[in-house]
Amino acid sequence: MHEAAALPVSRRAEAEGAVRPLEGLGLRVERAGRVLLDIPELRMSGSEITALMGFNGSGKSLLLRVLAGLVQPDAGTVLWAGRPPGRERARRLGFVFQKPVLLRRSAAANIRYALKVAGFPRAEIAGRTEAALASAGLQGLAGSPARVLSGGEQQRLAVARALALEPEVLFLDEPTASLDPGSTLAIEALVAGARGRGTKIVLVTHDAGQARRLAQEILFLQQGRLVERASAGQFFTGPQSEAARAFLEGRIHI
Ligand SMILES: Nc1ncnc2c1ncn2[C@@H]1O[C@H](COP(=O)(O)OP(=O)(O)OP(=O)(O)O)[C@@H](O)[C@H]1O
């Protein structure tokens, strides 16, 4: 047997070079004379789920948007596998917002449309749509208008739609912030499944329980700066910065 075949899928992908690190070099964002992001160097493993954590206003969402190419930094470069993502970026990433952004059409049509725009062959669209709906437990709601779905169902649809495109990188910005525990676990299962299939996941979350359940790597931000990068195990048992200790203990940090 090939040596890599004995490894779990995500490790196998890494061993075969299919998994790409995500990097930022000299990232800087300023608005109205205020420095919002100043990160000289950032590197995320290509195969793990990385959680971005920090107090409100520390720059997590902004960093996520910069990494995804939704916000252009004033300085710096984002690299996927050592190269700027380029024009094919849309095909290679998924982005899920805290409030799902869905089209005013059926659940199935939302997925079909995304597949069509991403250039999937027509012959594959129906099958991929069905599989995506099933992965999110939404088969029974395929024909329902997306806007009548519950908040949890809408977010499951948004995640399933993003994953239907088999993105290289999936960015999630507090995807379960307004969901109940059952819906939260359903979203987490979708995200963990995607990691198992080789998608790199970057997740903004305030929920330490969620970061413990899902993430292998934690980046902790404070006032637009990266103050800690650690494995989840290290971060939760022995955070190095005073800010991260305060965050985990639920203290206010000024
Ligand atoms: N386009 C913008 N123009 C001006 N200021 C901005 C812009 N985007 C973000 N900011 C500011 O940058 C800082 C970081 O915002 P960001 O939303 O990234 O924080 P966050 O860590 O995600 O916060 P939260 O946990 O509250 O969602 C905030 O002070 C915010 O007001």
Side-chain angles (χ1 to χ4, degrees):
M1 186 166 53
H2 188 280
E3 200 181 319
L7 297 169
V9 176
S10 54
R11 292 283 315 284
R12 194 157 73 224
E14 193 163 34
E16 290 167 355
V19 171
R20 299 145 166 102
L22 185 52
E23 294 165 286
L25 297 175
L27 296 179
R28 197 173 164 87
V29 176
E30 288 183 30
R31 293 287 183 271
R34 226 180 111 213
V35 177
L36 302 182
L37 214 57
D38 181 10
I39 301 183
E41 201 176 339
L42 164 148
R43 187 182 161 86
M44 297 181 193
S45 108
S47 62
E48 296 180 326
I49 297 181
T50 302
L52 303 184
M53 303 192 78
F55 289 103
N56 288 136
S58 56
K60 306 177 295 294
S61 294
L62 187 57
L63 174 59
L64 197 73
R65 282 165 170 71
V66 167
L67 292 172
L70 302 180
V71 169
Q72 200 55 38
D74 297 302
T77 320
V78 172
L79 300 173
W80 296 4
R83 289 186 309 162
R87 272 200 219 152
E88 74 280 27
R89 170 182 261 149
R91 174 77 201 255
R92 297 166 58 200
L93 73 81
F95 201 105
V96 174
F97 298 88
Q98 180 178 340
K99 282 196 178 156
V101 181
L102 297 167
L103 301 174
R104 293 174 68 84
R105 41 182 96 180
S106 73
N110 264 273
I111 297 177
R112 279 199 298 271
Y113 181 78
L115 287 165
K116 196 172 144 204
V117 169
F120 279 83
R122 282 177 64 135
E124 291 182 18
I125 287 181
R128 285 181 177 272
T129 300
E130 209 172 302
L133 288 167
S135 72
L138 294 171
Q139 312 87 312
L141 295 169
S144 302
R147 67 177 185 284
V148 308
L149 302 185
S150 74
E153 289 162 350
Q154 288 194 9
Q155 193 61 301
R156 262 150 58 206
L157 176 60
V159 175
R161 181 182 59 182
L163 292 177
L165 309 185
E166 296 179 357
E168 275 181 31
V169 190
L170 176 65
F171 298 94
L172 302 120
D173 194 355
E174 298 188 51
T176 60
S178 51
L179 304 188
D180 69 23
S183 295
T184 296
L185 290 178
I187 298 284
E188 290 178 5
L190 283 171
V191 171
R195 184 208 172 203
R197 292 189 297 279
T199 293
K200 164 70 189 168
I201 314 274
V202 189
L203 165 78
V204 170
T205 184
H206 285 113
D207 179 347
Q210 177 163 76
R212 279 177 198 266
R213 287 191 295 277
L214 277 181
Q216 292 75 44
E217 179 176 64
I218 309 288
L219 301 187
F220 190 84
L221 298 183
Q222 186 189 11
Q223 295 175 354
R225 292 183 165 76
L226 180 64
V227 292
E228 201 156 337
R229 174 187 180 221
S231 70
Q234 280 171 348
F235 183 79
F236 288 113
T237 53
Q240 297 300 300
S241 60
E242 166 52 22
R245 278 196 292 276
F247 180 86
L248 290 174
E249 290 166 11
R251 286 189 275 121
I252 292 174
H253 181 83
I254 299 169

